[in-house]
Amino acid sequence: MNIPESEVSSAPPGQREDARPKLEQLRLSGRLPSPKGVALAIMEACRNEDTSLEDIARIVRTDPALAGRLLRLANSAAAGGLRPVAAIPDAVKRLGLGAVRQVAMGFSLVDQYHEGPCAGFDYTRFWSHSLLMGVAMQSLGALVRVASPDELFACGLLARIGCLALATIHPVEYAELLEGCADDTELAARERERLQADHNEVTVSILDDCGIPRSLAEPIFFHEAPENSRFTEGSRPYQLAHLFYHAKRVADMGLAPEATRGGIISELMLLGGKLGLDASEQGSLVDRIIAEWQEWAQILKVPAHALPPFAAMASAPAPRTDDHQPDLPALRVLLAGSGASARNGLQAMLADLPRCTVHAAGNGREALALALEVMPQIVVCERRMPDVDGIGFCQALRATDWGQSMYVIMLTDADEEEELVQAFEAGVDDYIARPVNGRALRARLRAALHYVRLLEAWERDRAQLKQFAAELAISNRKLEHYALTDLLTGLPNRRAGMEVLGQSWAASHRSGQGLSVMMLDIDHFKSVNDTHGHAVGDKVLIEVSRLIRDSLRKGDHVCRMGGEEFLVINQGGDLEATLQFAERLRQKIRSARIRIGDAELGTSVSIGVACREPGMADADGLIVAADRALYAAKRGGRDRSCCHAGGRLLCR
């Protein structure tokens, strides 16, 4: 696929220099996952230009399972309310050859790879995620309409097929690199380091071999991080890459444990907002996707567990975290002010807590410096320390921006009410009386951990909301710009011009200063379009717009009124000065040459000029007068300037 250089941030997928030899080696080895049986026959038939829909339908009939799946797909919700089909030829006709080929290939791979040799790769979970992503792409594609929803179903199903391929071809190595892998970015980096090709590159190679067009494969390559592509905003590949990412996040949510689901749900709300969906519409969409996923899972014998309605998941309180979850980051705890023996005892008690990193300081000043360095989520401090007591330490901590959110537990020798009141007023969150009981300390830390996880979730949501608000503000500014701008020439449009004229009229009325306008019309513009085509006509419009804009004087404003007509507004301009400017501009445009390929094209304009006069009731009267002058210039032979003054017309 030929993609403009400005739209791509790296080499086309599958073409990274150091990856090419490895990908070619995999292709030639025949070890990449590939369709078999009827699916392979369909792919071979589709390569023949003479193959008809009836030919494909006859091949499909030989595989009852595939026939049933294609009928199911043709009659799915994404079919747009069309009448149900019961015959294979009708299903093939509705889906189209491209979708039938791609879907057959996907189903063939699902059937072949329910299990495999890589012990660290969960094959059934992979297909469950892929199936949900396919169903999500089908529904999102029906909503946005950037490609056939049924083709998008197959592309979503196969968007991560490179992971399965690498796990199957390199089972031992892949199991090792999966251990402790945090996310897709780290996985791709490990794959490139160990296997000389990452799963996105392998995915595109497989899609290429199976005939899926690069116009769909390219966005798939970037779908894990669409912001890393340089697709032109709003273009089809840009929309597809972001749509694939949206579908992936739906699939991530569907298989995520309840404890980590909340952050994904928040992101899905934001992604839905970018598509113009409110919370209710987003919830309905996700619920339909999940229902479709579960039905397809039964057909393809892929696991798909039940989920609560999206609205219930979105409004559910944050679940209490499980300290033993392997994907949670380590908890940072600061021990402040304890003596060496006491500190060792506390560290021994904390050693039983999983994923807990303990930092210790012998006094208050050292603890403040260490807190700034390691940014602990939880602080355990002594009430009495050598230099700064626990109350002063906590007050100093809370006086900083970075210490506001730390959870502070104070160790106190006395369980006296006044001392505890002072501690809580200083910002302490909890306390433990000495002698410290190990069970009590761990219970307090579990409560603190729940607070920390809730705070982290809130911070993530707030960051996403800020990002969405910023993107929304940018979108609103762009919409406002587009609403007032002519997209072809870049000039203000008629609406913007009329706003400026209204403001100029009001200012002229208040100050008594003059106000003049010029109406310009490109001569014989229709014949340019008829003779040379609309592309050449657009170039003429763009060049004339540039000449006008470059010629404007101080206080002038220009807009494109529509078609080949332009309006120039000059605050404070008198009739004679405006007529002289009109003549200079007319001659400048007449002498200009517009290059069209190897040829040059000349053009001219007719100009009508009018000034605000006492008898004019409003700005519309000024436009009418300039229009009359323009009509007189055109009637007088074009390529001339005329003015309307005192009810009379004068041409030069």
Side-chain angles (χ1 to χ4, degrees):
M1 179 176 64
N2 294 321
I3 298 291
E5 185 178 347
S6 62
E7 290 194 358
V8 185
S9 62
S10 62
Q15 300 300 311
R16 192 167 51 85
E17 289 297 326
D18 58 341
R20 261 190 244 169
K22 182 64 175 180
L23 292 171
E24 275 306 311
Q25 183 181 355
L26 289 175
R27 274 198 178 104
L28 294 174
S29 71
R31 297 165 66 194
L32 287 175
S34 59
K36 295 182 180 178
V38 171
L40 183 60
I42 291 173
M43 288 180 59
E44 293 295 335
C46 287
R47 291 192 176 101
N48 187 344
E49 294 182 359
D50 297 329
T51 299
S52 65
L53 292 174
E54 289 74 15
D55 295 331
I56 297 298
R58 279 194 291 273
I59 298 173
V60 171
R61 284 196 194 97
T62 65
D63 186 339
L66 176 60
R69 293 168 180 176
L70 290 179
L71 283 171
R72 168 74 175 78
L73 186 63
N75 289 318
S76 66
L82 300 174
R83 64 174 181 81
V85 296
I88 295 302
D90 293 335
V92 171
K93 183 177 181 181
R94 176 172 292 180
L95 295 172
L97 286 180
V100 170
R101 180 187 69 235
Q102 294 165 26
V103 170
M105 175 188 68
F107 289 156
S108 174
L109 294 177
V110 175
D111 290 338
Q112 291 179 65
Y113 293 95
H114 271 287
E115 56 185 25
C118 182
F121 186 79
D122 191 334
Y123 287 82
T124 57
R125 190 182 190 281
F126 168 82
W127 283 120
S128 184
H129 184 281
S130 298
L131 179 60
L132 181 49
M133 188 170 171
V135 174
M137 274 308 295
Q138 184 188 38
S139 296
L140 292 169
L143 186 69
V144 179
R145 289 292 179 185
V146 288
S148 161
D150 303 312
E151 282 190 300
L152 293 179
F153 174 92
C155 289
L157 183 67
L158 298 172
R160 299 175 63 78
I161 194 69
C163 293
L164 179 137
L166 291 174
T168 304
I169 296 170
H170 306 285
V172 176
E173 297 94 329
Y174 208 73
E176 291 174 354
L177 64 83
L178 282 174
E179 289 183 11
C181 189
D183 53 33
D184 292 323
T185 301
E186 183 180 347
L187 177 62
R190 291 184 179 189
E191 290 167 344
R192 287 190 292 271
E193 181 182 354
R194 294 283 300 275
L195 306 176
Q196 292 78 54
D198 67 46
H199 59 271
N200 290 311
E201 293 165 332
V202 176
T203 291
V204 173
S205 291
I206 294 173
L207 299 184
D208 278 347
D209 287 346
C210 294
I212 289 182
R214 272 294 181 98
S215 60
L216 293 173
E218 185 104 20
I220 290 173
F221 178 78
F222 289 109
H223 83 278
E224 291 176 351
E227 67 279 1
N228 290 342
S229 76
R230 292 214 314 256
F231 295 136
T232 301
E233 185 175 351
S235 66
R236 183 172 182 265
Y238 176 93
Q239 293 182 70
L240 281 168
H242 283 78
L243 220 58
F244 278 114
Y245 176 78
H246 192 153
K248 179 184 179 298
R249 294 306 281 160
V250 172
D252 292 342
M253 182 216 68
L255 275 71
E258 184 180 356
T260 60
R261 200 181 289 155
I264 304 175
I265 289 173
S266 299
E267 185 180 2
L268 287 176
M269 298 288 281
L270 299 180
L271 292 172
K274 293 178 183 179
L275 297 181
L277 302 175
D278 60 25
S280 175
E281 292 167 333
Q282 172 74 2
S284 298
L285 174 67
V286 173
D287 289 343
R288 288 197 304 272
I289 290 171
I290 296 300
E292 285 272 317
W293 172 53
Q294 291 165 342
E295 292 179 16
W296 273 113
Q298 290 183 343
I299 295 171
L300 296 176
K301 298 180 175 58
V302 168
H305 57 272
L307 287 173
F310 185 82
M313 292 189 289
S315 60
R320 292 193 173 270
T321 54
D322 178 4
D323 297 349
H324 296 272
Q325 282 182 227
D327 56 341
L328 290 176
L331 191 67
R332 299 182 302 279
V333 179
L334 172 63
L335 295 179
S338 296
S341 60
R343 188 162 59 242
N344 291 336
L346 289 172
Q347 287 182 293
M349 294 179 189
L350 294 174
D352 293 340
L353 288 176
R355 305 185 67 77
C356 182
T357 303
V358 180
H359 304 270
N363 57 58
R365 288 191 178 87
E366 183 183 336
L368 282 172
L370 189 57
L372 177 59
E373 179 184 343
V374 303
M375 289 295 169
Q377 294 111 322
I378 300 174
V379 177
V380 180
C381 71
E382 291 281 2
R383 170 65 178 84
R384 291 173 177 79
M385 292 187 282
D387 51 353
V388 181
D389 71 358
I391 300 294
F393 170 75
C394 189
Q395 289 172 334
L397 202 60
R398 296 306 193 202
T400 66
D401 290 337
W402 45 268
Q404 294 284 331
S405 60
M406 294 178 184
Y407 194 92
V408 180
I409 302 173
M410 182 171 285
L411 302 178
T412 177
D413 293 322
D415 196 1
E416 296 178 2
E417 181 178 343
E418 183 59 31
E419 186 167 296
L420 294 178
V421 168
Q422 289 180 4
F424 283 114
E425 287 178 347
V428 169
D429 295 293
D430 202 350
Y431 78 97
I432 300 176
R434 287 190 177 278
V436 177
N437 178 279
R439 289 183 60 195
L441 176 61
R442 284 190 289 272
R444 295 293 206 282
L445 285 172
R446 277 194 292 272
L449 177 61
H450 182 56
Y451 163 83
V452 168
R453 299 307 183 205
L454 285 175
L455 185 63
E456 289 173 347
W458 178 78
E459 289 286 358
R460 281 196 304 271
D461 290 348
R462 186 172 69 164
Q464 289 176 343
L465 286 171
K466 282 184 178 179
Q467 179 186 354
F468 180 63
E471 291 174 352
L472 188 60
I474 293 171
S475 297
N476 287 337
R477 285 197 294 271
K478 287 180 179 178
L479 288 173
E480 183 178 356
H481 172 74
Y482 293 151
L484 299 173
T485 304
D486 175 63
L487 297 182
L488 176 64
T489 64
L491 295 179
N493 60 16
R494 180 188 180 93
R495 175 184 168 188
M498 291 301 97
E499 288 183 6
V500 171
L501 181 59
Q503 295 165 2
S504 301
W505 180 272
S508 175
H509 181 72
R510 289 192 304 269
S511 66
Q513 289 184 330
L515 174 64
S516 62
V517 298
M518 295 165 39
M519 294 290 294
L520 293 85
D521 189 276
I522 300 176
D523 297 328
H524 307 294
F525 185 72
K526 183 177 184 300
S527 66
V528 173
N529 280 332
D530 292 344
T531 304
H532 302 285
H534 287 278
V536 172
D538 287 347
K539 289 184 178 180
V540 171
L541 283 168
I542 292 169
E543 181 62 18
V544 170
S545 300
R546 185 189 65 79
L547 292 169
I548 297 173
R549 183 173 52 241
D550 292 348
S551 303
L552 294 180
R553 305 160 298 172
K554 184 178 180 180
D556 284 345
H557 299 273
V558 62
C559 74
R560 182 184 176 193
M561 295 291 281
E564 65 271 28
E565 199 169 69
F566 302 85
L567 171 69
V568 176
I569 305 164
N570 178 248
Q571 287 181 279
D574 59 51
L575 184 63
E576 184 59 32
T578 305
L579 267 173
Q580 291 176 4
F581 172 58
E583 275 298 291
R584 290 196 303 272
L585 179 59
R586 181 184 65 81
Q587 291 171 12
K588 181 177 182 178
I589 293 173
R590 182 180 184 183
S591 62
R593 286 293 176 265
I594 303 170
R595 179 165 292 280
I596 309 296
D598 295 331
E600 288 186 341
L601 186 68
T603 189
S604 64
V605 295
S606 299
I607 304 177
V609 178
C611 285
R612 181 175 180 268
E613 297 179 347
M616 292 179 180
D618 53 28
D620 287 342
L622 187 57
I623 293 293
V624 170
D627 266 332
R628 288 174 180 168
L630 175 61
Y631 180 70
K634 294 168 70 173
R635 187 176 54 193
R638 294 183 171 84
D639 190 19
R640 65 185 59 208
S641 302
C642 289
C643 71
H644 185 282
R648 295 192 307 166
L649 291 167
L650 175 64
C651 291
R652 293 189 175 184

